[in-house]
């Protein structure tokens, strides 16, 4: 990996026409803010880009991650391939399988690219003769320019919507019925290239706006995405389903999403999908990784129809009035009481839902707000709510100590892991540094990278220096020792250290068997979570 960092040249990642010579380096337009004149410095000397207006930067690996939406590992592999840099030897059988899969993906990519062009030509022919597809596009308010820009096509009686990955490659299709055909949507069959759970419709076109604003709008269907982009809401994507998968959440984070706005259809299915999405993202929101809000739509409406009937200004007004996810959940819990305030069965169901919600919230401002609102709505807190949240909630969270964050990494439950100590009061960088140190302890293969990070907080720098000193004293080949070699050596040293440092190191070296095993065997996702905060792409 260090060989890739040293040999990959940042200037090679730009088209020559985009670079303007400035002293010993270059300048070009910054993609991270509304740059009216070139302000992104491209420096071959330090092999980085940096914008002095928005104060963001990246090395070649980070730049490729940001611009192409790649993971850290994918970016390293891409650059290694470009520069002919050998990576550590893989298991021959695994390497052969990976090569075969890559070859199959390339074959499918070329085939589907040809299909996309074929379908697009068929749609253009239908538009010229004013056929049924042209009438359907007019009905849906999709202009010919938009149809061309999105590469829409026609196959039989279905409008073909190309589904692309983050780099703009056509991976598959979603076919929307024209007329009364059932089912309404049919997607390409899953294969090595098209895996619906990994894709977000419209991400290739929305990524630039998402990186610039830090905000994404999540809707249900592809036509919602197309209509909103046409109307000027260019940070819109769809999940290709009714919930976000870990891979899709990771893609959102790679594109710099700090605030996610959910705008599902205003029907019963849309409400249920919104509830599921909030439940899936709750650990991230409670942990401060993501802001989450809900844009409410009128009953029976969808974003596509709302944009067509009311226009961009009214739609943006609804975005501005979006509710915090907790306010939305509290309203859903209490809504049945508005229709049947005297029905004891309804009251009991609301109380049960309220108890579940409170149990999911750690001690702090959010739970306090929820308790106040539920007292107002129910007349009192649900029976057993206090004991559930103070006792069972903490117990349950500690039992499931490993909580998957949106990037697919490990996140200790916010406010409940005593080993992190007062995690709620710590800043995001403090938590990330703590996790980086824990990764150094548990994952030998991550130590070189973690050791190169510039930690901001003095107690963490002191701990890292101590860990590195102990590591250097281990026998040669320490990086390939079992994961418990370094922890054991550090724990043996702790009685001779200052109390505050010894206490921190003891916490790091005793993360629990499940966490330790996962970090030792599969550190990649957790490493990505840490780097997203401490060395963010573009940061």
């Amino acid at each position: 990996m260090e060989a890739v960092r040293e040999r990959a040249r940042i200037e090679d990642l730009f088209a020559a026409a985009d670079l303007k010579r400035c002293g010993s380096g270059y300048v070009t337009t910054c993609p991270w803010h509304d740059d009216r004149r070139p302000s992104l410095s491209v420096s071959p000397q330090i092999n980085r880009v940096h914008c002095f207006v928005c104060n963001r930067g990246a090395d070649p690996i980070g730049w490729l991650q940001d611009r192409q939406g790649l993971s850290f590992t994918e970016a390293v592999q891409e650059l290694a391939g470009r520069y002919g840099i050998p990576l550590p030897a893989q298991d021959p059988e695994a390497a052969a399988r990976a090569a075969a899969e890559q070859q199959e993906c390339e074959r499918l990519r070329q085939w589907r690219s040809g299909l996309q062009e074929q379908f697009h030509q068929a749609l253009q022919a239908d538009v010229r003769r004013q056929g049924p597809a042209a009438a359907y596009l007019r009905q849906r308010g999709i202009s010919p320019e938009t149809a061309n820009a999105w590469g829409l096509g026609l196959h039989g009686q279905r409008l073909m919507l190309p589904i692309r990955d983050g780099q703009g490659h056509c991976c598959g299709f979603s076919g929307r019925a024209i007329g009364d055909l059932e089912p309404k949507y049919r997607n390409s069959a899953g294969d090595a290239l098209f895996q619906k759970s990994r894709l977000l419709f419209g991400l290739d076109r929305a990524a630039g706006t998402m990186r610039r604003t830090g905000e994404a709008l999540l809707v249900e269907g592809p036509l919602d995405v197309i209509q909103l982009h046409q109307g000027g809401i260019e940070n819109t994507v769809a999940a290709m389903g009714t919930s976000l998968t870990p891979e899709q959440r990771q893609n959102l984070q790679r594109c710099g999403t700090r605030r996610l706005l959910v705008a599902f259809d205003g029907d019963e299915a849309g409400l249920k999908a919104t509830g599921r999405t909030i439940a899936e993202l709750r650990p991230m929101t409670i942990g401060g990784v993501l802001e989450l809000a809900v844009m409410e739509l009128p009953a029976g409406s969808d974003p596509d129809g709302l944009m067509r009937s009311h226009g961009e200004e009214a739609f943006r007004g609804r975005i501005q009035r979006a509710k915090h996810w907790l306010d939305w959940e509290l309203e859903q819990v209490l809504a049945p009481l508005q229709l049947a305030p005297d029905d004891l069965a309804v009251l009991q169901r609301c109380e049960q839902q309220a108890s579940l919600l409170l149990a999911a919230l750690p001690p702090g401002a959010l739970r306090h707000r929820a308790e106040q609102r539920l007292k107002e709505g129910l007349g009192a807190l649900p029976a057993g709510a206090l004991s559930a949240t103070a006792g069972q909630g903490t117990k349950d969270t500690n039992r499931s100590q490993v909580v998957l964050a949106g990037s697919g990494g490990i996140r200790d439950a916010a406010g409940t892991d005593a080993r992190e100590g007062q995690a709620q009061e710590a800043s995001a960088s403090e938590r990330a540094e703590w996790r980086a140190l824990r990764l150094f302890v548990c994952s030998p293969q991550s130590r070189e990278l973690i050791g190169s990070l510039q930690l901001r907080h003095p107690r963490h720098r002191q701990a890292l220096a101590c860990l590195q000193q102990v590591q250097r004293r281990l026998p040669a080949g320490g990086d390939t020792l079992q994961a418990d070699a370094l922890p054991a050596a550090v724990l043996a040293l702790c009685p001779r250290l200052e109390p505050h440092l010894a206490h921190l190191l003891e916490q790091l070296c005793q993360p629990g068997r499940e966490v330790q095993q996962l970090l030792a065997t599969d550190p990649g996702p957790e490493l990505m979570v840490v780097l997203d905060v401490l060395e963010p792409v573009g940061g």
Side-chain angles (χ1 to χ4, degrees):
M1 184 193 69
E2 288 306 314
V4 172
R5 285 188 188 275
E6 292 173 2
R7 292 173 56 185
R9 305 310 305 162
I10 190 68
E11 63 270 26
D12 293 345
L13 303 183
F14 294 83
D18 294 336
L19 295 177
K20 180 181 179 181
R21 173 65 72 173
C22 181
S24 60
Y26 307 90
V27 292
T28 188
T29 303
C30 176
W32 297 315
H33 74 280
D34 188 11
D35 196 7
R36 301 185 183 278
R37 64 177 185 176
S39 60
L40 185 72
S41 172
V42 182
S43 175
Q45 286 71 30
I46 61 174
N47 206 28
R48 286 184 66 86
V49 296
H50 186 83
C51 177
F52 292 95
V53 175
C54 62
N55 199 32
R56 298 179 67 178
D59 64 5
I61 296 174
W63 179 257
L64 210 58
Q65 284 183 262
D66 184 85
R67 294 293 87 200
Q68 296 190 17
L70 303 179
S71 69
F72 180 82
T73 301
E74 290 168 340
V76 169
Q77 292 173 340
E78 171 70 18
L79 289 171
R82 292 189 190 190
Y83 289 90
I85 302 171
L87 293 174
Q90 292 181 300
D91 172 61
E93 184 177 346
R97 286 197 304 268
E101 182 177 338
Q102 185 176 3
Q103 185 177 15
E104 174 65 5
C105 285
E106 183 58 33
R107 182 190 70 81
L108 290 169
R109 189 176 290 117
Q110 292 180 6
W111 176 51
R112 288 194 173 129
S113 178
L115 282 179
Q116 191 270 326
E117 181 61 26
Q118 177 184 327
F119 295 155
H120 185 59
Q121 293 297 329
L123 178 62
Q124 289 185 317
D126 185 274
V127 169
R128 286 194 295 269
R129 64 173 180 267
Q130 294 296 298
Y136 181 74
L137 290 177
R138 287 195 301 272
Q139 173 196 336
R140 299 299 301 248
I142 299 175
S143 70
E145 293 78 15
T146 296
N148 286 333
W150 287 79
L152 304 188
L154 178 65
H155 181 59
Q157 291 300 305
R158 291 188 179 273
L159 183 69
M160 303 302 287
L161 313 171
I163 302 172
R164 306 180 189 277
D165 60 19
Q167 291 76 56
H169 301 132
C170 181
C171 298
F173 300 92
S174 181
R176 175 47 163 100
I178 298 175
D180 299 326
L181 284 180
E182 292 293 341
K184 184 185 296 184
Y185 281 98
R186 288 191 62 185
N187 295 325
S188 297
D191 54 30
L193 183 62
F194 180 66
Q195 299 182 42
K196 190 172 70 170
S197 64
R198 297 184 178 180
L199 299 168
L200 288 163
F201 184 85
L203 182 65
D204 59 311
R205 300 181 68 90
T209 304
M210 290 161 59
R211 292 188 181 100
R212 188 172 65 253
T213 65
E215 183 173 285
L217 177 67
L218 181 69
V219 297
E220 286 190 43
L223 288 178
D224 292 318
V225 174
I226 293 173
Q227 184 63 242
L228 265 58
H229 274 256
Q230 179 177 273
I233 314 296
E234 296 180 343
N235 61 339
T236 309
V237 295
M240 305 297 298
T242 57
S243 62
L244 277 174
T245 66
E247 293 90 348
Q248 290 167 339
R249 297 197 295 268
Q250 186 176 19
N251 284 334
L252 288 173
Q253 285 192 295
R254 286 176 183 171
C255 291
T257 301
R258 300 183 298 275
R259 183 173 188 261
L260 180 64
L261 186 66
V262 178
F264 290 162
D265 295 355
D267 54 16
E268 187 65 26
L271 292 176
K272 291 180 179 178
T274 301
R276 284 195 300 272
T277 300
I278 290 175
E280 292 159 357
L281 297 176
R282 191 183 288 124
M284 296 175 65
T285 62
I286 290 174
V289 178
L290 180 73
E291 294 180 33
L292 181 63
V294 178
M295 174 183 154
E296 293 186 301
L297 276 69
S301 67
D302 57 26
D304 173 15
L306 194 63
M307 174 63 79
R308 284 187 281 136
S309 60
H310 291 76
E312 179 184 0
E313 184 176 351
F315 199 93
R316 289 193 182 276
R318 287 188 173 271
I319 290 177
Q320 294 298 320
R321 297 190 298 275
K323 288 185 171 67
H324 186 278
W325 65 269
L326 181 57
D327 287 335
W328 186 89
E329 280 207 289
L330 290 168
E331 286 188 4
Q332 299 307 305
V333 167
L334 298 173
L337 285 176
Q338 297 180 7
L339 300 176
D342 299 323
D343 190 322
L344 293 180
V346 171
L347 179 62
Q348 185 178 24
R349 287 196 298 271
C350 291
E351 185 180 44
Q352 291 169 346
Q353 291 300 313
S355 295
L356 291 174
L357 177 57
L358 287 177
L361 299 174
L366 289 180
R367 196 172 81 186
H368 180 66
R369 180 185 181 94
E371 289 173 348
Q372 287 185 316
R373 181 70 183 90
L374 292 171
K375 283 181 182 178
E376 295 171 3
L378 298 174
L381 279 180
L386 290 176
S387 62
T389 53
Q392 180 189 347
T394 302
K395 178 182 177 182
D396 287 349
T397 313
N398 283 334
R399 185 177 65 244
S400 57
Q401 202 173 51
V402 179
V403 179
L404 292 182
S407 60
I410 303 165
R411 177 155 192 92
D412 289 345
T416 61
D417 190 351
R419 297 183 180 88
E420 289 201 28
Q422 299 182 347
Q424 289 183 332
E425 298 177 6
S427 67
S429 62
E430 284 181 310
R431 292 195 299 271
E433 287 182 3
W434 193 96
R435 294 168 70 179
L437 291 170
R438 182 180 64 180
L439 194 58
F440 187 99
V441 170
C442 298
S443 171
Q445 60 265 51
S446 303
R447 287 173 187 160
E448 181 181 0
L449 177 55
I450 297 298
S452 70
L453 295 176
Q454 299 298 314
L455 304 186
R456 294 172 48 194
H457 302 279
R459 63 192 179 103
H460 292 157
R461 290 200 298 269
Q462 186 181 14
L464 180 58
C466 183
L467 290 171
Q468 290 175 312
Q469 185 177 14
V470 173
Q471 182 198 7
R472 286 193 290 270
R473 293 177 179 175
L474 292 174
D479 282 351
T480 60
L481 295 178
Q482 292 296 320
D484 60 356
L486 180 63
V490 172
L491 289 173
L493 178 65
C494 281
R496 303 197 297 273
L497 300 176
E498 298 176 0
H500 76 280
L501 178 59
H503 179 63
L504 175 57
L505 291 172
E506 287 170 353
Q507 293 174 350
L508 293 168
C509 292
Q510 302 177 89
R513 181 179 302 174
E514 186 180 3
V515 173
Q516 187 172 8
Q517 181 179 3
L518 189 54
L519 290 177
T521 57
D522 186 21
E526 175 74 348
L527 186 61
M528 280 298 302
V529 176
V530 168
L531 292 176
D532 281 345
V533 178
L534 302 183
E535 270 195 359
V537 290

